Amino acid sequence: MGYTSTISKTDLARRTRQVVDRARRGDTIIVESYGEEQVVVIDAVDYRILRAVAAYQTLSPHLAPVNDPTLEPAGLSESEVEQACQEAGGSPQACWNKVIAAYLDGHINLGRAATLLALSSYELDERFRRLEVPRRIGPATKEEALAEVDAAFALAPD
């Protein structure tokens, strides 16, 4: 999935259901009229992710675990997400912005972000990959890798 195609407004009118189904499967459909791009049809979750990443990019530079390894991740609770949503007048986009910002800052991992967004971690990872959202997979430093190995050995039965 994840193809981009261009169709005419007439094709959109004739095949609306198919176009929507393709968008929901991860395809991007550009609708043209007389050779001029008019609109783009994308999946709603992709739309929310892209808007959240755009909002994150407008934030002032700030300290976060992703750019300062001496900082501890703060995590993110369901109540903090709900509060951000309520403060924005119930806007669902505010919830997405809060979660994606916490992930991009390094305060939460992909699995936690997926849980807070009611997605599977596999689905969120695939969407991030397709949308070219920065993904943090695996340890960032040699020390983190060694700590993960030590933790795995500690959990292994004798």
Side-chain angles (χ1 to χ4, degrees):
M1 300 304 141
Y3 299 105
T4 299
S5 59
T6 303
I7 64 171
S8 69
K9 284 174 44 175
T10 303
D11 286 340
L12 175 62
R14 288 182 185 150
R15 302 180 314 151
T16 304
R17 178 180 291 154
Q18 292 90 346
V19 170
V20 169
D21 288 344
R22 285 182 49 205
R24 294 203 59 209
R25 288 192 308 268
D27 291 354
T28 300
I29 296 92
I30 301 170
V31 181
E32 285 186 345
S33 179
Y34 300 103
E36 182 180 328
E37 295 177 345
Q38 300 288 310
V39 296
V40 176
V41 181
I42 63 171
D43 177 72
V45 172
D46 289 355
Y47 169 77
R48 295 280 183 211
I49 291 170
L50 290 171
R51 283 202 52 202
V53 170
Y56 179 80
Q57 295 300 322
T58 66
L59 297 175
S60 302
H62 57 281
L63 291 177
V66 74
N67 54 27
D68 185 351
T70 63
L71 294 176
E72 287 292 320
L76 185 63
S77 69
E78 289 89 354
S79 62
E80 290 172 301
V81 175
E82 289 172 18
Q83 180 181 356
C85 189
Q86 288 174 357
E87 288 173 0
S91 166
Q93 188 61 51
C95 301
W96 285 82
N97 292 359
K98 183 77 171 176
V99 173
I100 299 296
Y103 171 78
L104 293 173
D105 274 346
H107 288 294
I108 60 174
N109 63 22
L110 184 78
R112 180 66 179 152
T115 298
L116 292 168
L117 296 172
L119 301 170
S120 76
S121 58
Y122 299 110
E123 179 183 2
L124 186 59
D125 183 55
E126 171 58 23
R127 287 175 185 274
F128 278 7
R129 183 198 59 74
R130 186 170 28 82
L131 297 171
E132 299 180 12
V133 174
R135 296 161 51 222
R136 293 186 330 275
I137 299 173
T141 65
K142 180 180 177 181
E143 291 75 22
E144 286 180 16
L146 291 172
E148 285 188 15
V149 169
D150 290 342
F153 278 124
L155 293 173
D158 291 329

CSV table of all heavy atoms in Angstrom, one decimal, residues 8-29:
chain,number,residue,atom,x,y,z
A,8,SER,N,-9.3,12.2,-12.1
A,8,SER,CA,-10.0,13.4,-12.5
A,8,SER,C,-11.2,13.6,-11.5
A,8,SER,O,-11.6,12.6,-10.8
A,8,SER,CB,-10.6,13.3,-13.9
A,8,SER,OG,-11.6,12.3,-14.0
A,9,LYS,N,-11.8,14.8,-11.5
A,9,LYS,CA,-13.0,15.0,-10.6
A,9,LYS,C,-14.1,14.1,-11.1
A,9,LYS,O,-14.9,13.6,-10.3
A,9,LYS,CB,-13.4,16.5,-10.7
A,9,LYS,CG,-12.5,17.4,-9.9
A,9,LYS,CD,-12.8,18.9,-10.0
A,9,LYS,CE,-14.2,19.3,-10.0
A,9,LYS,NZ,-14.4,20.8,-10.0
A,10,THR,N,-14.2,13.9,-12.4
A,10,THR,CA,-15.2,13.0,-12.9
A,10,THR,C,-15.0,11.6,-12.4
A,10,THR,O,-16.0,10.9,-11.9
A,10,THR,CB,-15.2,13.0,-14.5
A,10,THR,OG1,-15.3,14.3,-14.9
A,10,THR,CG2,-16.3,12.1,-15.0
A,11,ASP,N,-13.8,11.1,-12.4
A,11,ASP,CA,-13.5,9.7,-11.8
A,11,ASP,C,-13.8,9.7,-10.3
A,11,ASP,O,-14.4,8.7,-9.8
A,11,ASP,CB,-12.0,9.3,-12.0
A,11,ASP,CG,-11.7,9.0,-13.4
A,11,ASP,OD1,-12.6,8.7,-14.2
A,11,ASP,OD2,-10.5,9.0,-13.8
A,12,LEU,N,-13.6,10.8,-9.6
A,12,LEU,CA,-13.9,10.8,-8.2
A,12,LEU,C,-15.4,10.7,-8.0
A,12,LEU,O,-15.9,9.9,-7.2
A,12,LEU,CB,-13.4,12.1,-7.5
A,12,LEU,CG,-13.8,12.3,-6.1
A,12,LEU,CD1,-13.2,11.2,-5.2
A,12,LEU,CD2,-13.3,13.7,-5.6
A,13,ALA,N,-16.2,11.4,-8.8
A,13,ALA,CA,-17.6,11.4,-8.7
A,13,ALA,C,-18.2,10.0,-9.1
A,13,ALA,O,-19.1,9.5,-8.4
A,13,ALA,CB,-18.2,12.4,-9.7
A,14,ARG,N,-17.6,9.4,-10.0
A,14,ARG,CA,-18.1,8.0,-10.5
A,14,ARG,C,-17.6,6.9,-9.5
A,14,ARG,O,-18.3,5.9,-9.4
A,14,ARG,CB,-17.5,7.7,-11.8
A,14,ARG,CG,-18.1,8.5,-13.0
A,14,ARG,CD,-17.6,8.1,-14.3
A,14,ARG,NE,-18.1,8.9,-15.3
A,14,ARG,CZ,-17.4,9.2,-16.5
A,14,ARG,NH1,-16.2,8.7,-16.7
A,14,ARG,NH2,-18.0,10.0,-17.3
A,15,ARG,N,-16.5,7.1,-8.9
A,15,ARG,CA,-15.9,6.0,-8.1
A,15,ARG,C,-15.6,6.4,-6.7
A,15,ARG,O,-14.6,6.0,-6.1
A,15,ARG,CB,-14.7,5.4,-8.8
A,15,ARG,CG,-14.9,4.9,-10.2
A,15,ARG,CD,-13.7,4.4,-10.9
A,15,ARG,NE,-12.6,5.3,-10.7
A,15,ARG,CZ,-11.3,4.9,-10.7
A,15,ARG,NH1,-11.0,3.7,-10.8
A,15,ARG,NH2,-10.3,5.8,-10.5
A,16,THR,N,-16.4,7.2,-6.1
A,16,THR,CA,-16.1,7.7,-4.7
A,16,THR,C,-15.8,6.6,-3.7
A,16,THR,O,-14.9,6.7,-3.0
A,16,THR,CB,-17.3,8.6,-4.2
A,16,THR,OG1,-17.6,9.6,-5.2
A,16,THR,CG2,-17.0,9.2,-2.9
A,17,ARG,N,-16.6,5.6,-3.7
A,17,ARG,CA,-16.5,4.5,-2.7
A,17,ARG,C,-15.1,3.9,-2.9
A,17,ARG,O,-14.4,3.6,-1.9
A,17,ARG,CB,-17.6,3.5,-2.9
A,17,ARG,CG,-17.3,2.3,-1.9
A,17,ARG,CD,-18.4,1.3,-2.0
A,17,ARG,NE,-19.6,1.8,-1.4
A,17,ARG,CZ,-20.8,1.4,-1.8
A,17,ARG,NH1,-21.0,0.5,-2.6
A,17,ARG,NH2,-21.9,2.0,-1.2
A,18,GLN,N,-14.7,3.6,-4.1
A,18,GLN,CA,-13.4,3.0,-4.4
A,18,GLN,C,-12.2,3.9,-4.0
A,18,GLN,O,-11.2,3.4,-3.4
A,18,GLN,CB,-13.3,2.5,-5.9
A,18,GLN,CG,-14.2,1.4,-6.3
A,18,GLN,CD,-15.5,1.9,-6.8
A,18,GLN,OE1,-15.9,3.1,-6.6
A,18,GLN,NE2,-16.3,1.0,-7.4
A,19,VAL,N,-12.4,5.2,-4.3
A,19,VAL,CA,-11.3,6.1,-3.9
A,19,VAL,C,-11.2,6.2,-2.4
A,19,VAL,O,-10.1,6.2,-1.9
A,19,VAL,CB,-11.6,7.5,-4.5
A,19,VAL,CG1,-10.7,8.6,-4.0
A,19,VAL,CG2,-11.6,7.5,-6.1
A,20,VAL,N,-12.3,6.3,-1.7
A,20,VAL,CA,-12.2,6.3,-0.2
A,20,VAL,C,-11.6,5.0,0.3
A,20,VAL,O,-10.8,5.1,1.2
A,20,VAL,CB,-13.6,6.5,0.4
A,20,VAL,CG1,-13.6,6.3,1.9
A,20,VAL,CG2,-14.1,7.9,0.0
A,21,ASP,N,-12.0,3.9,-0.3
A,21,ASP,CA,-11.4,2.6,0.2
A,21,ASP,C,-9.9,2.6,0.0
A,21,ASP,O,-9.1,2.1,0.8
A,21,ASP,CB,-12.1,1.4,-0.5
A,21,ASP,CG,-13.5,1.2,-0.1
A,21,ASP,OD1,-13.9,1.7,1.0
A,21,ASP,OD2,-14.2,0.4,-0.8
A,22,ARG,N,-9.5,3.1,-1.2
A,22,ARG,CA,-8.0,3.1,-1.5
A,22,ARG,C,-7.3,4.0,-0.5
A,22,ARG,O,-6.2,3.7,0.0
A,22,ARG,CB,-7.8,3.6,-2.9
A,22,ARG,CG,-8.1,2.5,-3.9
A,22,ARG,CD,-7.8,2.9,-5.3
A,22,ARG,NE,-6.5,3.5,-5.5
A,22,ARG,CZ,-6.2,4.4,-6.4
A,22,ARG,NH1,-7.1,4.8,-7.3
A,22,ARG,NH2,-4.9,4.9,-6.5
A,23,ALA,N,-7.9,5.2,-0.2
A,23,ALA,CA,-7.3,6.1,0.8
A,23,ALA,C,-7.2,5.4,2.2
A,23,ALA,O,-6.2,5.6,2.9
A,23,ALA,CB,-8.1,7.4,0.9
A,24,ARG,N,-8.2,4.7,2.6
A,24,ARG,CA,-8.2,4.1,3.9
A,24,ARG,C,-7.2,3.0,3.9
A,24,ARG,O,-6.7,2.6,5.0
A,24,ARG,CB,-9.6,3.5,4.2
A,24,ARG,CG,-10.6,4.7,4.3
A,24,ARG,CD,-11.8,4.4,5.1
A,24,ARG,NE,-11.4,3.9,6.5
A,24,ARG,CZ,-12.1,3.1,7.2
A,24,ARG,NH1,-13.2,2.6,6.7
A,24,ARG,NH2,-11.8,2.8,8.4
A,25,ARG,N,-6.8,2.4,2.8
A,25,ARG,CA,-5.7,1.4,2.8
A,25,ARG,C,-4.3,2.0,2.7
A,25,ARG,O,-3.3,1.3,2.5
A,25,ARG,CB,-5.9,0.5,1.6
A,25,ARG,CG,-7.1,-0.5,1.8
A,25,ARG,CD,-7.1,-1.6,0.7
A,25,ARG,NE,-7.0,-1.1,-0.6
A,25,ARG,CZ,-8.1,-0.9,-1.4
A,25,ARG,NH1,-9.3,-1.0,-0.9
A,25,ARG,NH2,-7.9,-0.4,-2.6
A,26,GLY,N,-4.2,3.4,2.7
A,26,GLY,CA,-2.9,4.0,2.7
A,26,GLY,C,-2.5,4.7,1.4
A,26,GLY,O,-1.5,5.3,1.3
A,27,ASP,N,-3.3,4.6,0.4
A,27,ASP,CA,-3.0,5.3,-0.9
A,27,ASP,C,-3.3,6.7,-0.8
A,27,ASP,O,-4.2,7.2,0.0
A,27,ASP,CB,-3.8,4.7,-2.1
A,27,ASP,CG,-3.4,3.3,-2.4
A,27,ASP,OD1,-2.4,2.8,-1.8
A,27,ASP,OD2,-4.1,2.6,-3.3
A,28,THR,N,-2.6,7.5,-1.6
A,28,THR,CA,-2.9,9.0,-1.7
A,28,THR,C,-3.4,9.2,-3.1
A,28,THR,O,-2.8,8.8,-4.0
A,28,THR,CB,-1.6,9.8,-1.5
A,28,THR,OG1,-1.1,9.5,-0.2
A,28,THR,CG2,-1.8,11.3,-1.6
A,29,ILE,N,-4.6,9.9,-3.1
A,29,ILE,CA,-5.2,10.2,-4.4
A,29,ILE,C,-5.3,11.7,-4.6
A,29,ILE,O,-5.8,12.4,-3.8
A,29,ILE,CB,-6.6,9.5,-4.5
A,29,ILE,CG1,-6.5,8.0,-4.4
A,29,ILE,CG2,-7.3,9.9,-5.8
A,29,ILE,CD1,-6.7,7.5,-3.0
